[in-house]
C-alpha cells in the first residue's frame, strides 16, 4: 500500500508515494520510503531527508530522530 494525503474535498495534495506515513503534527508529517523515515511539510516539501531508522516525532519545534541506535534532536 502507498500513503499520501488528501484534502477535505478528496483531492490529492501530496502524492501517494510513501511506504508509511503518520498524521501531521505541528505542520509536519513523518513519512517512510524504503524503510527510512523523513519529515515533510503540508506542501509535500522534504524538510528532513529520509535517512532515519524510526519515525520522526515533532514537539515544541524539536524533532526526535533515531539513526544507528543513536537518538538526538533537530531544531526546526
Amino acid at each position: 500500500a502507498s500513503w499520501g494525503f488528501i484534502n477535505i474535498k478528496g483531492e490529492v495534495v501530496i502524492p501517494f508515494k510513501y511506504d508509511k506515513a503518520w498524521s501531521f503534527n505541528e505542520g509536519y508529517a513523518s513519512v517512510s520510503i524504503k524503510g527510512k523515515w523523513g519529515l515533510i511539510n503540508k506542501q509535500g516539501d522534504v524538510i528532513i531527508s529520509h535517512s532515519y531508522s524510526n519515525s520522526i516525532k515533532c514537539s515544541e519545534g524539536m524533532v526526535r530522530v533515531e539513526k544507528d541506535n543513536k537518538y538526538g534532536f533537530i531544531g526546526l
Side-chain angles (χ1 to χ4, degrees):
S2 293
W3 291 77
F5 296 87
I6 60 173
N7 62 20
I8 60 173
K9 297 177 184 177
E11 302 164 331
V12 174
V13 292
I14 297 175
F16 286 73
K17 63 181 182 180
Y18 299 104
D19 299 329
K20 294 181 182 176
W22 292 107
S23 60
F24 280 89
N25 180 30
E26 297 188 17
Y28 303 98
S30 183
V31 292
S32 173
I33 296 177
K34 297 181 182 177
K36 295 294 183 180
W37 289 86
L39 195 72
I40 61 170
N41 63 17
K42 288 187 176 183
Q43 291 73 40
D45 302 320
V46 175
I47 303 302
I48 296 177
S49 66
H50 294 87
S51 58
Y52 294 96
S53 53
N54 208 334
S55 63
I56 296 173
K57 308 290 184 206
C58 297
S59 179
E60 298 180 20
M62 298 294 290
V63 179
R64 182 187 62 86
V65 294
E66 175 189 351
K67 188 173 186 177
D68 301 326
N69 291 320
K70 296 178 183 172
Y71 297 85
F73 291 90
I74 300 171
L76 291 173

XYZ file of all heavy atoms in Angstrom:
601
model
N 0.834 -1.183 0.000
C 0.000 0.000 0.000
C 0.879 1.248 0.000
O 1.942 1.252 0.603
C -0.908 0.010 1.219
N 0.431 2.247 -0.661
C 1.136 3.522 -0.687
C 0.346 4.551 0.110
O -0.870 4.519 0.151
C 1.285 4.024 -2.116
O 2.136 3.178 -2.843
N 1.068 5.466 0.720
C 0.466 6.506 1.537
C 0.692 7.868 0.913
O 1.729 8.125 0.306
C 1.080 6.499 2.931
C 0.717 5.301 3.742
C 1.236 4.041 3.617
C -0.223 5.232 4.788
N 0.673 3.201 4.524
C -0.230 3.913 5.266
C -1.054 6.167 5.389
C -1.038 3.497 6.315
C -1.858 5.750 6.431
C -1.852 4.426 6.881
N -0.279 8.728 1.075
C -0.209 10.113 0.643
C -1.244 10.873 1.446
O -1.754 10.379 2.454
N -1.578 12.079 0.993
C -2.521 12.903 1.744
C -3.524 13.534 0.800
O -3.175 13.947 -0.308
C -1.768 13.995 2.517
C -0.857 13.437 3.572
C 0.442 13.067 3.260
C -1.310 13.262 4.864
C 1.285 12.544 4.229
C -0.472 12.733 5.841
C 0.824 12.377 5.517
N -4.779 13.610 1.261
C -5.849 14.265 0.509
C -6.430 15.384 1.371
O -6.300 15.365 2.596
C -6.958 13.279 0.091
C -7.604 12.620 1.315
C -6.413 12.233 -0.873
C -8.808 11.764 0.994
N -7.080 16.348 0.710
C -7.755 17.412 1.472
C -9.203 17.000 1.731
O -9.631 15.912 1.340
C -7.644 18.764 0.755
C -8.310 18.776 -0.604
O -9.174 17.950 -0.911
N -7.915 19.720 -1.438
N -9.982 17.864 2.362
C -11.359 17.502 2.712
C -12.265 17.379 1.488
O -13.348 16.821 1.576
C -11.962 18.485 3.735
C -11.988 19.911 3.198
C -11.209 18.438 5.043
C -12.721 20.891 4.097
N -11.800 17.864 0.342
C -12.554 17.712 -0.908
C -12.243 16.392 -1.603
O -12.816 16.083 -2.630
C -12.233 18.859 -1.861
C -12.645 20.228 -1.348
C -12.231 21.295 -2.326
C -12.539 22.683 -1.783
N -12.064 23.734 -2.703
N -11.310 15.622 -1.032
C -10.924 14.348 -1.633
C -9.856 14.484 -2.705
O -9.552 13.524 -3.405
N -9.259 15.659 -2.827
C -8.213 15.908 -3.822
C -6.847 15.515 -3.252
O -6.548 15.807 -2.095
C -8.184 17.387 -4.204
C -9.498 17.891 -4.752
C -9.586 19.419 -4.768
O -8.957 20.089 -3.918
O -10.311 19.925 -5.642
N -6.040 14.880 -4.073
C -4.691 14.514 -3.647
C -3.853 15.782 -3.548
O -3.726 16.528 -4.516
C -4.041 13.516 -4.636
C -2.590 13.255 -4.256
C -4.828 12.220 -4.680
N -3.303 16.039 -2.371
C -2.452 17.214 -2.178
C -0.985 16.828 -1.998
O -0.096 17.649 -2.234
C -2.933 18.098 -1.009
C -4.268 18.743 -1.343
C -3.031 17.323 0.282
N -0.727 15.611 -1.563
C 0.621 15.058 -1.503
C 0.518 13.652 -2.080
O -0.258 12.825 -1.590
C 1.159 15.030 -0.057
C 1.273 16.474 0.471
C 2.503 14.321 0.003
C 1.684 16.590 1.913
N 1.265 13.372 -3.153
C 1.137 12.093 -3.862
C 1.298 10.868 -2.965
O 2.024 10.899 -1.969
C 2.270 12.150 -4.897
C 2.558 13.597 -5.071
C 2.292 14.230 -3.734
N 0.635 9.798 -3.356
C 0.687 8.528 -2.640
C 1.955 7.790 -3.047
O 1.938 6.898 -3.885
C -0.559 7.694 -2.956
C -1.788 8.211 -2.282
C -2.409 9.367 -2.716
C -2.303 7.543 -1.186
C -3.542 9.851 -2.079
C -3.433 8.022 -0.534
C -4.052 9.177 -0.987
N 3.087 8.183 -2.457
C 4.376 7.603 -2.821
C 5.157 7.079 -1.617
O 6.269 6.612 -1.762
C 5.214 8.620 -3.574
C 5.575 9.853 -2.774
C 6.400 10.816 -3.615
C 6.804 12.045 -2.811
N 7.607 12.961 -3.630
N 4.562 7.135 -0.445
C 5.261 6.736 0.768
C 4.845 5.339 1.211
O 3.713 4.925 1.026
C 4.985 7.745 1.890
C 5.468 9.122 1.521
C 4.582 10.116 1.139
C 6.822 9.416 1.516
C 5.027 11.376 0.769
C 7.283 10.671 1.137
C 6.378 11.637 0.769
O 6.836 12.870 0.396
N 5.794 4.600 1.788
C 5.512 3.261 2.296
C 4.666 3.324 3.574
O 3.825 2.469 3.809
C 6.807 2.513 2.597
C 7.668 2.338 1.349
O 7.119 2.235 0.244
O 8.903 2.316 1.498
N 4.939 4.344 4.392
C 4.184 4.580 5.620
C 4.139 6.079 5.863
O 5.013 6.814 5.399
C 4.845 3.904 6.825
C 4.841 2.404 6.755
C 5.491 1.807 7.978
C 5.526 0.290 7.861
N 6.229 -0.338 8.982
N 3.139 6.511 6.616
C 3.025 7.932 6.945
C 2.236 8.087 8.239
O 1.344 7.289 8.528
C 2.327 8.690 5.825
N 2.584 9.117 8.999
C 1.844 9.482 10.195
C 1.132 10.796 9.930
O 1.484 11.535 9.010
C 2.776 9.613 11.401
C 3.355 8.306 11.830
C 4.644 7.882 11.655
C 2.672 7.224 12.472
N 4.805 6.618 12.157
C 3.609 6.193 12.668
C 1.375 7.036 12.905
C 3.271 4.983 13.275
C 1.036 5.834 13.509
C 1.980 4.830 13.686
N 0.161 11.106 10.746
C -0.597 12.343 10.565
C 0.284 13.559 10.868
O 1.331 13.446 11.503
C -1.830 12.348 11.474
O -1.441 12.243 12.818
N -0.184 14.704 10.410
C 0.555 15.946 10.629
C 0.486 16.362 12.088
O -0.546 16.244 12.734
C 0.005 17.057 9.736
C 0.506 16.967 8.322
C -0.175 16.223 7.377
C 1.672 17.610 7.951
C 0.299 16.123 6.089
C 2.156 17.521 6.661
C 1.466 16.776 5.724
N 1.611 16.846 12.595
C 1.719 17.361 13.951
C 2.601 18.605 13.873
O 3.713 18.529 13.345
C 2.347 16.310 14.867
C 2.482 16.783 16.280
O 1.684 17.590 16.753
N 3.489 16.296 16.976
N 2.089 19.724 14.325
C 2.811 20.994 14.266
C 3.199 21.370 12.833
O 4.225 21.992 12.600
C 4.037 20.980 15.187
C 3.679 20.814 16.649
C 4.840 20.998 17.591
O 5.883 21.559 17.211
O 4.703 20.590 18.753
N 2.392 20.928 11.855
C 2.621 21.281 10.460
C 3.527 20.341 9.693
O 3.846 20.594 8.530
N 3.942 19.235 10.317
C 4.859 18.290 9.678
C 4.352 16.865 9.838
O 3.678 16.547 10.806
C 6.253 18.392 10.307
C 6.828 19.783 10.235
C 6.746 20.642 11.320
C 7.430 20.237 9.075
C 7.259 21.921 11.252
C 7.944 21.529 8.999
C 7.857 22.359 10.086
O 8.357 23.633 10.018
N 4.722 16.011 8.880
C 4.346 14.598 8.952
C 5.589 13.741 8.748
O 6.441 14.032 7.910
C 3.305 14.253 7.893
N 5.674 12.677 9.517
C 6.744 11.695 9.398
C 6.325 10.693 8.322
O 5.236 10.126 8.374
C 6.927 11.008 10.753
O 7.993 10.107 10.726
N 7.211 10.478 7.320
C 6.901 9.573 6.212
C 8.098 8.664 5.928
O 9.247 9.039 6.160
C 6.513 10.351 4.928
C 5.189 11.062 5.116
C 7.587 11.339 4.534
N 7.817 7.479 5.420
C 8.858 6.482 5.185
C 8.921 6.076 3.716
O 7.892 5.877 3.072
C 8.571 5.246 6.041
O 9.449 4.197 5.728
N 10.147 5.958 3.217
C 10.416 5.409 1.888
C 11.516 4.366 2.048
O 12.585 4.673 2.590
C 10.876 6.500 0.894
C 9.770 7.515 0.654
C 11.329 5.867 -0.420
C 10.173 8.669 -0.254
N 11.233 3.133 1.618
C 12.206 2.033 1.689
C 12.784 1.860 3.087
O 13.978 1.650 3.263
C 13.313 2.222 0.654
C 12.814 2.192 -0.772
C 13.938 2.365 -1.758
C 13.375 2.369 -3.173
N 14.397 2.611 -4.174
N 11.929 1.989 4.106
C 12.340 1.751 5.475
C 13.068 2.895 6.151
O 13.462 2.778 7.305
N 13.263 3.999 5.448
C 13.931 5.163 6.045
C 12.921 6.284 6.201
O 12.117 6.550 5.310
C 15.096 5.634 5.169
C 16.212 4.621 5.060
C 16.881 4.413 6.403
C 18.044 3.443 6.292
N 18.698 3.214 7.559
N 12.978 6.962 7.349
C 11.999 7.989 7.693
C 12.540 9.387 7.467
O 13.725 9.639 7.647
C 11.580 7.837 9.143
C 10.734 6.633 9.367
C 11.169 5.361 9.618
C 9.322 6.563 9.316
N 10.105 4.514 9.738
C 8.948 5.232 9.556
C 8.320 7.507 9.098
C 7.626 4.814 9.586
C 6.996 7.086 9.136
C 6.664 5.757 9.371
N 11.650 10.271 7.060
C 11.959 11.683 6.895
C 10.765 12.506 7.325
O 9.773 11.964 7.833
N 10.842 13.792 7.080
C 9.793 14.705 7.518
C 9.403 15.608 6.363
O 10.277 16.128 5.657
C 10.320 15.542 8.688
C 9.295 16.301 9.511
C 8.491 15.331 10.371
C 9.990 17.313 10.399
N 8.089 15.768 6.151
C 7.593 16.667 5.108
C 6.696 17.731 5.729
O 6.178 17.546 6.825
C 6.816 15.913 4.000
C 5.587 15.202 4.572
C 7.734 14.941 3.263
C 4.642 14.630 3.522
N 6.506 18.824 4.990
C 5.548 19.847 5.429
C 4.233 19.636 4.684
O 4.096 18.687 3.891
C 6.103 21.258 5.236
C 6.374 21.615 3.791
O 5.893 20.971 2.846
N 7.167 22.649 3.588
N 3.266 20.492 4.898
C 1.938 20.316 4.306
C 1.914 20.548 2.799
O 0.935 20.206 2.136
C 0.921 21.212 4.998
C 0.603 20.724 6.397
C -0.521 21.506 7.035
C -0.860 20.924 8.391
N -1.988 21.608 9.014
N 2.982 21.089 2.238
C 3.092 21.244 0.786
C 3.782 20.037 0.159
O 3.909 19.944 -1.052
C 3.869 22.522 0.435
C 3.134 23.809 0.765
C 3.073 24.105 2.261
O 4.029 23.901 2.993
N 1.919 24.562 2.726
N 4.267 19.108 0.984
C 4.948 17.917 0.495
C 6.444 18.101 0.337
O 7.129 17.200 -0.135
N 6.968 19.263 0.750
C 8.406 19.502 0.676
C 9.121 18.675 1.739
O 8.666 18.591 2.880
C 8.728 20.983 0.919
C 8.038 21.904 -0.078
O 7.968 21.549 -1.263
O 7.568 22.987 0.353
N 10.262 18.082 1.363
C 11.059 17.325 2.319
C 11.801 18.309 3.216
O 12.587 19.129 2.746
C 12.051 16.379 1.608
C 12.964 15.691 2.610
C 11.298 15.348 0.778
N 11.552 18.237 4.509
C 12.186 19.102 5.498
C 13.395 18.404 6.111
O 14.429 19.020 6.336
C 11.179 19.495 6.603
C 9.948 20.177 5.985
C 11.825 20.372 7.659
C 10.255 21.417 5.164
N 13.267 17.121 6.383
C 14.375 16.289 6.874
C 14.435 15.073 5.959
O 13.442 14.366 5.773
C 14.161 15.884 8.343
C 14.174 17.136 9.233
C 15.220 14.889 8.788
C 13.903 16.865 10.691
N 15.617 14.819 5.387
C 15.768 13.741 4.401
C 15.440 12.373 4.996
O 15.517 12.163 6.207
C 17.191 13.736 3.844
O 18.104 13.392 4.861
N 15.105 11.452 4.126
C 14.726 10.094 4.513
C 15.995 9.284 4.811
O 16.467 8.517 3.984
C 13.905 9.442 3.399
C 12.601 10.117 3.196
N 12.452 11.203 2.368
C 11.395 9.885 3.744
C 11.193 11.600 2.403
N 10.536 10.817 3.238
N 16.524 9.456 6.012
C 17.751 8.747 6.376
C 17.712 8.216 7.807
O 18.722 7.770 8.320
C 18.963 9.675 6.199
O 18.824 10.844 6.972
N 16.543 8.228 8.428
C 16.441 7.812 9.827
C 15.712 6.482 9.950
O 14.826 6.169 9.156
C 15.771 8.903 10.657
C 16.649 10.130 10.704
C 16.447 11.180 9.820
C 17.717 10.201 11.577
C 17.282 12.286 9.821
C 18.555 11.297 11.594
C 18.335 12.332 10.711
O 19.175 13.411 10.710
N 16.098 5.698 10.966
C 15.616 4.320 11.079
C 14.289 4.173 11.808
O 13.760 3.076 11.895
C 16.679 3.459 11.767
O 17.082 4.019 12.994
N 13.742 5.272 12.306
C 12.470 5.187 13.004
C 11.662 6.433 12.668
O 12.215 7.424 12.206
C 12.698 5.083 14.511
C 11.592 4.337 15.216
O 10.458 4.296 14.738
N 11.899 3.750 16.358
N 10.362 6.377 12.921
C 9.532 7.532 12.626
C 10.003 8.735 13.427
O 10.572 8.601 14.503
C 8.058 7.244 12.917
O 7.873 6.974 14.283
N 9.775 9.904 12.885
C 10.254 11.152 13.458
C 9.118 11.805 14.236
O 8.001 11.900 13.741
C 10.766 12.080 12.337
C 11.977 11.436 11.659
C 11.092 13.452 12.860
C 12.451 12.172 10.438
N 9.404 12.238 15.432
C 8.391 12.863 16.287
C 8.675 14.347 16.449
O 9.795 14.733 16.760
C 8.388 12.215 17.673
C 8.286 10.707 17.672
C 6.951 10.224 17.244
C 6.885 8.711 17.356
N 5.970 8.105 16.499
N 7.652 15.194 16.248
C 7.777 16.643 16.422
C 7.117 17.060 17.731
O 6.036 16.591 18.054
C 7.060 17.384 15.300
S 7.735 17.091 13.685
N 7.782 17.968 18.442
C 7.202 18.518 19.641
C 7.905 19.820 19.984
O 9.131 19.849 20.095
C 7.339 17.536 20.807
O 6.789 18.092 21.986
N 7.129 20.881 20.106
C 7.624 22.184 20.513
C 8.815 22.665 19.682
O 9.796 23.183 20.209
C 7.966 22.168 22.004
C 6.759 21.876 22.877
C 7.085 21.860 24.355
O 8.118 22.428 24.750
O 6.289 21.278 25.109
N 8.733 22.469 18.365
C 9.783 22.951 17.472
C 11.027 22.086 17.422
O 12.015 22.440 16.797
N 10.989 20.930 18.073
C 12.114 19.995 18.054
C 11.652 18.687 17.426
O 10.492 18.313 17.522
C 12.633 19.722 19.470
C 13.172 20.950 20.176
S 14.658 21.618 19.409
C 15.856 20.375 19.807
N 12.592 17.993 16.799
C 12.288 16.732 16.142
C 13.202 15.662 16.720
O 14.428 15.813 16.737
C 12.524 16.848 14.618
C 12.226 15.544 13.935
C 11.700 17.966 14.039
N 12.592 14.579 17.221
C 13.380 13.451 17.739
C 13.686 12.506 16.588
O 12.795 12.126 15.829
C 12.622 12.698 18.829
C 13.446 11.544 19.425
C 12.632 10.693 20.375
N 11.493 10.043 19.739
C 11.546 8.877 19.105
N 12.685 8.236 18.958
N 10.452 8.356 18.583
N 14.949 12.107 16.451
C 15.356 11.205 15.379
C 16.164 10.040 15.954
O 16.729 10.137 17.035
C 16.191 11.942 14.303
C 15.351 12.970 13.582
C 17.426 12.577 14.890
N 16.201 8.952 15.182
C 16.995 7.782 15.548
C 17.762 7.317 14.318
O 17.202 7.201 13.227
C 16.108 6.642 16.041
C 16.873 5.367 16.327
C 15.979 4.165 16.600
O 14.753 4.336 16.731
O 16.521 3.058 16.662
N 19.048 7.052 14.495
C 19.879 6.541 13.409
C 20.984 5.680 14.021
O 21.667 6.125 14.941
C 20.476 7.688 12.601
C 21.192 7.254 11.356
C 21.596 8.478 10.546
C 22.185 8.073 9.226
N 22.523 9.228 8.403
N 21.113 4.466 13.530
C 22.139 3.536 14.021
C 22.076 3.369 15.543
O 23.102 3.394 16.232
C 23.539 4.006 13.592
C 23.679 4.107 12.083
O 23.055 3.290 11.372
O 24.389 5.013 11.619
N 20.867 3.213 16.071
C 20.629 3.031 17.507
C 21.104 4.209 18.348
O 21.391 4.058 19.535
C 21.248 1.725 18.014
C 20.535 0.521 17.462
O 19.307 0.504 17.360
N 21.286 -0.490 17.087
N 21.206 5.365 17.746
C 21.541 6.593 18.469
C 20.384 7.556 18.300
O 19.751 7.614 17.246
C 22.834 7.198 17.931
C 24.030 6.310 18.156
C 25.269 6.910 17.565
C 26.424 5.942 17.745
N 27.604 6.375 17.029
N 20.114 8.335 19.341
C 18.985 9.258 19.341
C 19.479 10.682 19.486
O 20.499 10.928 20.122
C 18.035 8.924 20.499
C 17.417 7.543 20.378
C 18.087 6.429 20.850
C 16.191 7.379 19.764
C 17.539 5.165 20.733
C 15.627 6.116 19.639
C 16.308 5.016 20.121
O 15.750 3.771 19.990
N 18.726 11.594 18.881
C 19.079 13.004 19.005
C 17.895 13.873 18.650
O 16.804 13.388 18.361
N 18.135 15.187 18.652
C 17.088 16.156 18.340
C 17.587 17.141 17.284
O 18.763 17.500 17.275
C 16.679 16.929 19.600
C 15.955 16.085 20.594
C 16.647 15.394 21.570
C 14.573 15.948 20.542
C 15.981 14.598 22.499
C 13.902 15.168 21.465
C 14.609 14.493 22.431
N 16.677 17.546 16.423
C 16.936 18.557 15.409
C 15.931 19.676 15.635
O 14.740 19.428 15.773
C 16.779 17.991 13.974
C 17.758 16.834 13.736
C 16.950 19.087 12.940
C 17.521 16.098 12.428
N 16.402 20.903 15.664
C 15.506 22.034 15.799
C 14.933 22.436 14.462
O 15.626 22.412 13.448
N 13.655 22.792 14.439
C 13.025 23.238 13.185
C 13.070 24.741 13.074
O 13.067 25.462 13.990
C 11.571 22.769 13.136
C 11.405 21.274 12.977
C 9.947 20.895 13.103
C 11.934 20.817 11.632
